[in-house]
Amino acid sequence: MKVNLIFIYLCSVLIFPNCYRKDTNPNPLVQSGMIDLSQSNFEDGFIYDLNGEWQFYWMDFLKPGAEDQRKRNYLNVPSEWQNNGYPEFGHATYKLDINLPAKTTDLALDLRSVACSYEIYANGDLLGKQGKIGTNEGESIPLIRHSIYTIKESLLEDNRLTIILYVSNYHYFKGGL
């Protein structure tokens, strides 16, 4: 089974030049919490970065579909939230909407070395987690590892994908994605 890859570069990235063709791909940027990949051809072997302005809800684990316009901010990914005016310790929701090409098959998300606990959801379904998220130091359990998550074609709705990450950091000197 062939799996198409979308990479989220969240920390330092090791680039192996012969492993994929990224050299001629015009990678669109995430703007205002959205990226349009509807004209992309995932069959060509390109890997897409999901860097840019993700929706950001500080000190809130936002339920899917419950966006609050008053609390919405945008934060660049990758970045540490303390470099954007937030304390190093806290928790937040990151949200990204992706427009996909018609007939998109399985996708993969690569989260590299996120130095926080998190849970990741695709269209409301839990894909996985790292450590245990929490709203304070006692609730959260830190863990750092490289993870790749598969998003099955059955989770893709009307050529749209919404990624939500609940992130908490109460143990490390860096917070964010």
Side-chain angles (χ1 to χ4, degrees):
M1 173 182 12
K2 184 175 180 181
V3 175
N4 297 306
L5 292 178
I6 296 177
F7 273 70
I8 302 176
Y9 290 102
L10 299 175
C11 288
S12 63
V13 178
L14 298 174
I15 298 175
F16 300 100
N18 295 321
C19 291
Y20 62 89
R21 295 177 27 212
K22 189 177 174 188
D23 51 334
T24 60
N25 180 34
N27 196 101
L29 287 176
V30 174
Q31 295 179 334
S32 301
M34 179 173 279
I35 187 168
D36 186 0
L37 298 177
S38 63
Q39 301 304 309
S40 301
N41 179 5
F42 293 153
E43 300 300 319
D44 61 13
F46 291 116
I47 295 173
Y48 295 85
D49 297 333
L50 298 179
N51 296 343
E53 300 173 326
W54 286 49
Q55 289 181 34
F56 181 75
Y57 300 86
W58 179 244
M59 298 303 281
D60 195 2
F61 290 140
L62 191 70
K63 294 183 181 179
E67 290 106 63
D68 184 343
Q69 299 291 334
R70 294 168 298 174
K71 293 183 180 180
R72 179 187 302 171
N73 289 302
Y74 296 98
L75 203 66
N76 280 322
V77 170
S79 72
E80 298 163 9
W81 57 43
Q82 67 269 20
N83 294 338
N84 292 279
Y86 298 95
E88 62 191 34
F89 298 125
H91 60 277
T93 299
Y94 287 81
K95 182 178 178 232
L96 175 63
D97 292 313
I98 305 172
N99 292 327
L100 298 168
K103 300 179 183 176
T104 300
T105 58
D106 294 353
L107 300 171
L109 292 173
D110 185 355
L111 276 72
R112 297 182 180 245
S113 303
V114 177
C116 297
S117 304
Y118 68 80
E119 292 180 0
I120 183 167
Y121 294 82
N123 287 344
D125 284 15
L126 178 66
L127 293 178
K129 55 187 173 180
Q130 172 175 287
K132 182 177 182 268
I133 62 169
T135 58
N136 59 55
E137 184 177 2
E139 290 179 359
S140 65
I141 299 172
L143 181 65
I144 300 175
R145 73 168 172 236
H146 177 183
S147 297
I148 297 175
Y149 299 101
T150 301
I151 302 172
K152 296 290 185 187
E153 182 178 358
S154 60
L155 288 179
L156 304 176
E157 301 170 357
D158 299 322
N159 304 322
R160 294 197 40 99
L161 174 62
T162 298
I163 298 171
I164 291 181
L165 280 129
Y166 299 139
V167 178
S168 68
N169 178 51
Y170 291 96
H171 300 278
Y172 297 117
F173 64 96
K174 296 179 183 180
L177 298 178

